Amino acid sequence: MPGEKQAAVQYYVGVDVGSASVRAALVDAFGTVVAHAEQPIQVWEPQPDHYEQSSADIWAACCSVTKEVVRGVAASQIRGLGFDATCSLVVVDKQLQPLAVNSEGQNHRNVIMWMDHRAASQVERINATQHRVLNYVGGAMSVEMQPPKLLWIKENLPESWEKVGYFFDLPDFLSWKATGVTARSLCTVVCKWTYTSDRGWDDSFWKMIGLEDLVKDKYEKIGNHVLSPGEAVGKGLSPEAAKELSLPEGIAVAASLIDAHAGGLGVIGADVKGHNLPCENQPITSRLAMICGTSSCHMGVSETPIFVPGVWGPYFSAMVPGLWLNEGGQSATGKLIDHVVRGHVAFPELEAKAAASAHSIYTYLNSHLDLIKKSLPVGFLTVDLHVWPDFHGNRSPLTDLTLKGMVVGLTLSRGLDELALIYLATIQAIALGTRHILEVMQAAGHEISTLFLCGGLSKNPLFVQMHADITGKPVVLSKEVESVLVGAAILGACASGDFASIQ
């Protein structure tokens, strides 16, 4: 940790809530992560396509990782706090206590996760309305957004619906826990709830889909005070939250971002001078940020709104203030690779060999592919093996959640070679999905020359190489690997007033 001499250094805390864990980082004013901690969080899957979490469990993990990263740092040096999280739906009652999102009445399970697909029939009905707000989500709403989930609760859990105090997007729940202020981030309400930066909420939409009760109370339950990401929330950290997080009371807390958007913010503005990249002397709009974790998100920004069929947006100021955002995505990437590898009959052999060589299973698989590739590049190994990767439906650009996955070219072989090949074919399929999204964005008017990758999968050299090979575009990786946490810390730095703007 920093010594006495650096007493003047100023720090910002970034907290990132992913699907399976919560992470925090202490970041200095140059964007360097100086301390980092992680803690797993619980996921319940009570039935197929239902994924739930506990907001109390998530907040406790936020407190514990934050305490860990600020240990040994003088309170006066910590200037701001920023949160990002998955766009999951948090439900609390009128007493501000967790409220069940399940028929078992388990109140602690009060979060419907982003990847939950229970609201399939609701989203179908919403899309059938062809309401004008759908123009801003690529023409069709995703089952992973919030309106279908709200409608599902109203139709399936009427008792919970009657008791609701607030519905929060998880990033907004965190800023509320930290400050006691129910303001929402423009990022969440625009990207996942149909708010528009010029018109706000559209009464006719909510009435048309059967959620007129939200209009009646002037949107109190879903948010009628909206802030730009990085704007300071209320009077900063409340006394209670300060104690729980081991941070000074009153420090600036920023309006939050969705996790993918924090990753985009953490990489898209990178300084690339001196690397001979095509984007070196081009505007930021020539870059596509790819945040690759459990799922993948493809973030491109533009000066003017671009409508891309099957790609979310255009959303104004949802990631970089003053620019329009389009967001493509793949519903299962890290989760898909894991599913394919762990489900293979040769997985126990892989696990044993990886452990014996003190490598992760993926590092081991990558070196195994190098062994069997002979003289041709590794990509050619799968000339007869093809994966269609939409095991969890297609988010972009086909926007079809009923699609399923497929593998063509299977043989009777059951060994490690076959496992390595299907792993490679899955990664190639994901990269081809990215290429599909890129082509649709470019056809609509985006001019993208370079990919900027971050997130867990960007640490896998094979994943990165296949994206470069298959898209034909250079891939840039940040020196600071934890780009999502840097994005969250940028929010805190902006809210503190130490920097004039996000840019």
Side-chain angles (χ1 to χ4, degrees), residues 405-472:
M406 178 164 61
V407 184
V408 179
L410 291 171
T411 68
L412 291 173
S413 304
R414 299 157 59 89
L416 199 51
D417 286 7
E418 281 61 42
L419 170 48
L421 292 182
I422 196 164
Y423 158 71
L424 171 60
T426 304
I427 286 178
Q428 289 171 324
I430 291 166
L432 285 158
T434 292
R435 175 166 149 181
H436 192 185
I437 291 166
L438 262 173
E439 285 169 354
V440 172
M441 287 177 74
Q442 291 181 171
H446 280 277
E447 289 177 24
I448 290 159
S449 67
T450 315
L451 307 183
F452 284 69
L453 263 59
C454 67
L457 288 175
S458 70
K459 298 171 190 173
N460 182 337
L462 183 71
F463 184 89
V464 176
Q465 188 62 56
M466 287 302 123
H467 274 76
D469 291 355
I470 286 169
T471 63

